[in-house]
Amino acid sequence: VVYAYVKGSEVRFRSAPSLEGHIIDTLNNGQQVQVLGITGEWTHVSVQDQKGYIFSQYLTSEDEKNS
């Protein structure tokens, strides 16, 4: 299992790897997500049992909130 952390405030969690993908939720800085895969510039993630996509530049492998 691979985890990543959101970097940025109100990062959009989308239903598809596109700016046209429905916004499922917005995520906060430091929130942990499970990485499922990568599609181009998007990362497929699971957040609280929901699956969707986040633009990869808004994820980091380190929990910056606690560093």
Side-chain angles (χ1 to χ4, degrees):
V1 177
V2 176
Y3 292 100
Y5 300 89
V6 174
K7 60 178 183 178
S9 60
E10 297 186 12
V11 173
R12 291 173 183 88
F13 176 48
R14 297 183 179 271
S15 62
S18 161
L19 293 176
E20 279 74 48
H22 173 74
I23 298 170
I24 298 169
D25 201 355
T26 54
L27 306 178
N28 296 314
N29 192 58
Q31 188 164 348
Q32 185 183 60
V33 299
Q34 181 181 345
V35 175
L36 303 174
I38 300 203
T39 302
E41 296 181 294
W42 296 82
T43 302
H44 189 203
V45 299
S46 177
V47 179
Q48 298 173 351
D49 295 326
Q50 285 193 300
K51 293 178 182 169
Y53 296 84
I54 297 174
F55 196 66
S56 297
Q57 75 180 29
Y58 295 113
L59 293 173
T60 181
S61 59
E62 297 179 15
D63 186 353
E64 294 178 348
K65 183 173 70 174
N66 293 325
S67 55

